[in-house]
Each structure stands twice: as C-alpha cells, then as structure tokens.
Amino acid sequence: MKGISLTRFIIQEQRRTPGASGNFTLLLNDIASACKAISQEVNRGALTGVLGAAESENVQGEVQKKLGLITNDILVNALEWSGQVAAMVSEETPDIIPVPVHYPKGKHLICFDPLDGSSNIDVNISVGTIFSILRCPSEAVEQPTEAAFLQPGRNQVCAGFCVYGPSTIMVLTTGNGVNGFTLDRGVGEFLLTHPNMRIPEEAGEFAINMSNRRFWEEPIRRYVDECVKGTDGGREKNFNMRWIASMVSEVFRILTRGGIFMYPFDYRNPTRPGKLRLLYEANPMSFIVEQAGGVSSTGRQRIMDIQTESIHQRVPVILGTKNEVERLESYYRESLET
Ligand code: AHG
Ligand code: MN
Ligand code: MN
C-alpha cells in the first residue's frame, strides 16, 4: 500500500505521546469506519433512495433529512459498542445518547454533526461530517448527563471533519497540527495526502451568506463592504467571494488557500445568537483552524473560550486567515468603543 494510512499515522502519533493509551486509536478507527460508510451512502445517493426530507424536525425546529438520520445512526452504531465512549451528543438528537447498558463505557465524550451542509445533499453539492472528542469528567463516566458536555472548546482532545466531495477527505487534529487523509476506495483506507496543513497568511477570499446583509451588525457590514469595494475602498487588493453552504467545504478551502468564513450574529431572530452550533460545528472547526495557524472568534471572543451552557447552543462564527479575522475583531472593538 502506498502512503501512510490514518491508522498508522495515529499509532505513530500515539507512540510519540508519553503515557498515551491505544484506546484513542481504536476510537478514531471507529469514527473513520463510520465516515467510510457515510461516504458510500452519500455517493450512492438517489440509487438507494436516501435523498429528501424525513418526516421529522430536530430540536431546533429544522426539518430533518433522511440522510441526516441515516448518518446519525451510522455514527451511533459505530461508536456505542467500542468501550471507548461514555456518551455522545448529536445535532440530530434532542438529548444525550447514552451507551447501552450491555456495552462497556469508556472515558470519551463524542459530539457530532453527522451531515453538515444538509441543504446541499439533494442538489449534489459536497456535504460532510464534523466531530469533536472531549474527556468525560471521571465522576461522570458511569452515568454521564448533559452537564458532562458543558466544557469549553479548549478542552477538546481531538477534532475532525470529513468532506464528501469529488474526493472523500478526512481532516484531523489532536492538538499537534492538522493533517488531511484522502479515502482510497480501492484499498478502503484513508491515506495521508495533506500533511501539516497550514492556512496561508495572505488571503483574498471571503465567505458569507450575503442575503442576510440587512440583518448584520455594523462591524460585519463594514468589513464585507470593504472587501466588495477592494482597491476602490482602501483595501490593498480585490477580493473574491464564495458561499457553498457546507461549512466543511468552506473550511477545507480555507485550509488550502486561505480566506475568511463568517456566520455572524444577526438580527433575524433575536432569540438566536448565531446559526452554527458550538459543540458540533464551531468548537471542532475552531480547534482545527487554530491548529493550522488561523483564528476563530465570535467577533467579540475566542470561540474555544466560550463556556458551553447547553448542548445545542448556537454561536456566531468568524474563522480563517489570522490577519483577516483579527481585522474584523478590531472593527468589533471599535464599534463597542463608540
Ligand atoms: P447543517 O446542514 O448541519 O444544518 O449545517 C449547515 C450550516 C453550515 O454548514 C453552513 O455554513 C450554513 O449552515 C449554511 O446556512 P445558510 O443556508 O443559512 O446559508
Ligand atoms: Mn452543520
Ligand atoms: Mn447537520
């Protein structure tokens, strides 16, 4: 087999970490197996009748997709038996997902968005899976409740995402840089194809859903308006814009060629502080972006320092190339000062 497999890579990393157990390797292998199965489902699409809406809503009142529920079950089935997990939470499930009593429990908590970019599935645009691993407080391992998950993102021990695009690619961090692995379908393995991913320091691309402009706060308007005006508005270059509506694809693009991604606070719904979810989307992507040399913020605060209050909590997300995110953060500071 040509190249380093994900399994080999994780074991080699583990050997470099004094005191690390093999349990983590098993856990990541189970996640990788689930992502291979999901890749297969996504790839076969209409052939197996998995597209379209399910007859249900998630806890946040969004219509669920058939594939969202199928991928959720794939992840739960792959992880619950392993003995590595204390409990799980998913964007698709209202309460925490316990480990069935007939399986042993482990010390990890897993948070996942099984199908990110779900509005894209029926139109054949890339979707993905996002996951995050926390340590379960030792006193909570036997009977974990929602409280065990209410940890800040800086406590994550691992985060990753898989994007089901022209290739299926898994991106992973355990706090020691970011690496990308492409699924070789012939071999059935993820192989290291993107070692040590770093977000380029110069970027000329921004991503935001422009249709929400009238609901934005002043600093976001200022920043985006300046990007749109480019050299005519005082910026040193002209910008390009992308909006895929699959965060996995946007983050992969930013890891590859830089840029800024924004799903900021807006005034559409005053009870909703943002669209993206802290545990399933914002925290894992922030860990990856920071590990690749970028910055991830709400505009006012580092995302990984937010004290989680509930498992389905939503937050504003601004992430990407350091200089661009810091410029926007400075606009927030200035607007608070005036
Ligand atoms: P999900 O499919 O898990 O609900 O997430 C979709 C998210 C994210 O991936 C994307 O950036 C954003 O929602 C798109 O939102 P809009 O449709 O409001 O642009
Ligand atoms: Mn999502
Ligand atoms: Mn989702």
Side-chain angles (χ1 to χ4, degrees):
M1 188 168 62
K2 208 168 156 237
I4 297 176
S5 71
L6 175 62
T7 311
R8 176 171 163 188
F9 181 87
I10 300 162
I11 291 173
Q12 284 177 349
E13 259 211 345
Q14 183 197 306
R15 285 182 188 153
R16 284 205 305 267
T17 316
S21 72
N23 295 347
F24 194 62
T25 310
L26 296 172
L27 181 56
L28 281 177
N29 258 332
D30 290 336
I31 293 175
S33 299
C35 290
K36 288 180 205 169
I38 294 172
S39 176
Q40 195 60 13
E41 291 290 342
V42 168
N43 190 250
R44 292 180 56 75
L47 296 175
T48 48
V50 296
L51 303 187
E55 287 168 0
S56 56
E57 289 184 349
N58 69 9
V59 66
Q60 289 160 330
E62 296 159 340
V63 174
Q64 290 176 300
K65 296 282 183 182
K66 277 191 220 165
L67 201 57
L69 300 177
I70 292 168
T71 53
N72 188 67
D73 288 350
I74 290 174
L75 276 157
V76 172
N77 289 332
L79 292 170
E80 64 180 4
W81 65 274
S82 66
Q84 311 307 325
V85 176
M88 295 168 266
V89 287
S90 163
E91 184 189 290
E92 300 292 347
T93 312
D95 302 312
I96 73 165
I97 306 164
V99 170
V101 284
H102 51 279
Y103 293 129
K105 291 202 180 74
K107 57 183 180 192
H108 299 105
L109 299 171
I110 323 290
C111 313
F112 51 82
D113 175 359
L115 190 67
D116 177 63
S118 47
S119 73
N120 280 328
I121 186 65
D122 295 342
V123 291
N124 202 29
I125 295 172
S126 301
V127 292
T129 298
I130 312 173
F131 62 90
S132 154
I133 305 178
L134 293 160
R135 278 197 196 90
C136 187
S138 48
E139 67 284 0
V141 167
E142 271 319 303
Q143 283 290 322
T145 61
E146 189 171 323
F149 287 89
L150 305 185
Q151 307 184 36
R154 61 174 180 270
N155 285 9
Q156 292 171 100
V157 292
C158 173
F161 67 87
C162 197
V163 51
Y164 313 108
S167 321
T168 286
I169 300 186
M170 167 92 79
V171 173
L172 199 67
T173 185
T174 54
N176 192 19
V178 177
N179 292 282
F181 303 82
T182 303
L183 179 61
D184 184 330
R185 288 184 195 275
V187 183
E189 288 271 17
F190 283 102
L191 302 180
L192 181 64
T193 46
H194 296 67
N196 193 23
M197 299 182 87
R198 302 291 299 170
I199 297 177
E201 286 178 12
E202 280 308 312
E205 232 164 23
F206 69 97
I208 192 164
N209 184 334
M210 289 290 281
S211 69
N212 298 322
R213 187 181 183 283
R214 70 189 189 281
F215 304 112
W216 294 343
E217 293 181 293
E218 190 275 330
I220 288 283
R221 279 187 199 222
R222 176 180 169 193
Y223 177 81
V224 173
D225 288 354
E226 283 180 3
C227 289
V228 170
K229 287 189 188 129
T231 53
D232 291 346
R235 290 290 316 237
E236 67 294 351
K237 62 191 162 202
N238 293 323
F239 281 76
N240 191 11
M241 197 206 86
R242 288 285 184 278
W243 187 248
I244 305 172
S246 284
M247 190 190 197
V248 282
S249 302
E250 319 265 16
V251 171
F252 191 80
R253 184 187 65 247
I254 288 171
L255 287 167
T256 311
R257 64 181 191 212
I260 182 169
F261 167 89
M262 297 163 277
Y263 213 119
F265 168 85
D266 65 48
Y267 291 106
R268 262 178 298 172
N269 176 351
T271 63
R272 203 176 85 161
K275 174 168 184 192
L276 300 174
R277 297 87 174 172
L278 181 57
L279 291 189
Y280 319 121
E281 294 165 325
N283 273 342
M285 291 310 203
S286 299
F287 192 16
I288 291 165
V289 164
E290 285 194 11
Q291 282 293 316
V295 174
S296 183
S297 163
T298 64
R300 298 179 159 90
Q301 182 186 11
R302 179 185 180 224
I303 284 180
M304 289 208 288
D305 283 338
I306 296 174
Q307 182 51 56
T308 312
E309 282 160 11
S310 63
I311 55 173
H312 296 297
Q313 182 175 347
R314 299 188 196 244
V315 291
V317 175
I318 295 162
L319 56 77
T321 294
K322 184 170 181 286
N323 289 345
E324 294 301 321
V325 178
E326 287 180 349
R327 172 189 281 261
L328 180 44
E329 285 180 315
S330 78
Y331 292 179
Y332 272 95
R333 278 195 301 277
E334 284 172 29
S335 90
L336 290 175
E337 281 158 14
T338 51

